[in-house]
Amino acid sequence: CGSSKENNAALPNLCLTTRAAMGFACHLHPFSLSLSRSFSVLLALSASGALRPSLADVLEQSALARLCENSGHHEQCPVTLLQVDSQVRSRAWNAAPHSAVEQPSSLQTLGRTFFSTDPAATADYFVKYFQAAYVPLPACGSALRAAVKVTVAEAYPPQILVFIGDSSASIGTWNATQTAVEAARLIWDALRPGGSTYTPWMDNHDGYHYGPFEGSSVMNISAVIESALPIEVYGQNIIRSYVPGTLWTVEVVYRDLDADAKSQLEVLGSVPNPDYCRSPQENPAERPGWSKATYMASRPEVAAQFMVDIFGAELIENPYPWPPRDNCTAVQWVNFPELEFQVHFVLSSEWQDANFKIEEHVQAMSGFWALESSRFHASMYNSLVFSVDSLDPYLLRLKARSMPYMLMHFDSQQYALFMIIPENAITIQLRSKHLSVEAQISESLCTEDFGDMLF
C-alpha cells in the first residue's frame, strides 16, 4: 500500500486498515522496526492468540482513527470508521469463547487510590462533606498518606479511599504534583461564578446516586450550604465538587430535597448542563451510593473494550453520538450488572482549547511503557480498585493479550495487581489474597501497603 495510486484506489479499505495495523504494531513495540516487520509482528501476535480479537480490533480501529484525523479529510472520517466498525463486528478473527471473558461473581468494588498534594486535606474533605471516617494506615517512611471509609448506602459495602502524597512522583517530563496543581487551577476556575464552566479534568469523577443522609444525598448538603462550598449545580439534581489536591471531582445526584435547600444550592453554583449533544435517553438503573467511575479518555472505545475483555463488563448504550462528532461529547459506557456499577469513558473535545489537548495530557501521564519495563509510574497512584477471590483469571487474560502488568505482595498476605488501559492512562488495581498462576512479583511499595483494612 502506498506505492501505487492505482492499488490504493482499488483497495482503499485494505490499505487504510493495513496502515492502521502497522501503526498499532509500532505502538506495541517502540524500538526500531521497519513497517513491514511491524505488520509481520502484528500478524504473528494475532495468529498465536497473543492478541485476543476484541481488544486487538478496537486498537486497530483506534489507529485508523488517528490516520484519518491526520489525513486532512476529516469530513470522511465518520463514514470510514462506521464502515470499519461494521467489518470488525461481523468477522470472527481468532474469536475466543464467551466464557473466556465472563464476569466472575467475586468481583467487588473496593474504592479508589488518589495522588494528592495534601492527603490530610483530601481526607478532611470527605469527612466533612460525606459520611466518612478516618482509617489508620501502616507507617511508610516520609510518604504522606491518609485514608477514609465512606458509607455510601445501606446494603452496599463502604468505599475505601486512600490518598497518597509522594514528592518523588515524577517519570520523565511528567510530574504528578505539577499536574495536580494545574488541574486544580482549571477546575477552581470552572467552579467560580462567571468562570469557564468546565474543563476536561472534570470528566475524572466518581458518581454517587442518592445516599444515607436525610434528603437522600450521599453528600452532606447542609455542610455544603453552610460552608458555601464551591460547586456546580445542573440538570435539576446534579452537584459537581472538586476533591482538593487531586485530579478528581465528585458528581452527586440528589433527590427529595426541600425547596429551600434546592434554592440555596442553585445560588451557590447553578450552571448550564456542560454535556453537549446528549439525547434524552433514559439511563440504566444505578445503585444507591457509589454508582459509577468516570474518566477523561482520549480513546473511549479502547478503554471500554479493555473492560469487556479483561473484566467481563457489558457495553451499554449511552445518550451521546458515536463515532465522535465535532463540538459534541463522545462517550463509551460499560456496566457490571451484578454489581449495578458502571464505568464511563468521556472525550469532551468541545472543552479543549489551544492550551489543553486531552490526547497530549493522556500521552504525557501514561505509565503504559513504564509498566512494560516493570516500573511504577506516578500516574498509577490514581487507580480504581476492585477486590477478587483470585487474581488468576485476570493475569491469564492480560498475558493472553500481551498486556503489561505489575504484581506486588504485602505482609498482610494481600496481592495487588496493577494494569493500565492502553491509549488512556487509566490504572485499574485488583486486590486479592489468592494467586496460583506463575507470575513475576515486583518489589512492593509501602505507599501501596494498606494493611488489613481492605479485607
Side-chain angles (χ1 to χ4, degrees), residues 344-360:
H344 298 178
F345 303 102
V346 183
L347 175 62
S348 294
S349 55
E350 72 275 24
W351 290 104
Q352 297 181 122
D353 58 31
N355 298 316
F356 191 101
K357 300 297 182 185
I358 294 170
E359 188 163 358
E360 290 177 4

Side-chain angles (χ1 to χ4, degrees), residues 71-202:
S71 68
H73 299 286
H74 301 280
E75 70 282 354
Q76 299 175 10
C77 289
V79 175
T80 303
L81 292 176
L82 280 173
Q83 290 173 341
V84 174
D85 180 69
S86 176
Q87 294 169 11
V88 165
R89 293 178 187 276
S90 65
R91 72 191 184 195
W93 179 33
N94 293 331
H98 290 296
S99 60
V101 292
E102 285 181 358
Q103 177 192 328
S105 59
S106 69
L107 186 77
Q108 294 292 334
T109 54
L110 254 183
R112 182 180 289 286
T113 64
F114 298 86
F115 175 83
S116 173
T117 57
D118 189 342
T122 312
D124 290 344
Y125 165 86
F126 279 96
V127 170
K128 182 173 183 178
Y129 296 111
F130 290 76
Q131 182 112 326
Y134 300 106
V135 179
L137 290 169
C140 184
S142 61
L144 300 176
R145 301 192 302 166
V148 298
K149 182 181 292 187
V150 183
T151 300
V152 289
E154 293 182 9
Y156 289 93
Q159 183 189 30
I160 303 296
L161 303 176
V162 181
F163 316 110
I164 303 166
D166 185 349
S167 60
S168 64
S170 62
I171 294 288
T173 59
W174 190 77
N175 183 283
T177 299
Q178 179 182 345
T179 303
V181 169
E182 292 174 354
R185 178 182 59 80
L186 292 173
I187 294 171
W188 284 126
D189 180 67
L191 294 176
R192 69 177 176 83
S196 59
T197 302
Y198 207 77
T199 167
W201 284 122
M202 297 170 75

Side-chain angles (χ1 to χ4, degrees), residues 245-256:
T246 74
L247 302 177
W248 250 254
T249 62
V250 294
E251 180 186 281
V252 178
V253 177
Y254 62 85
R255 66 178 179 187
D256 301 333

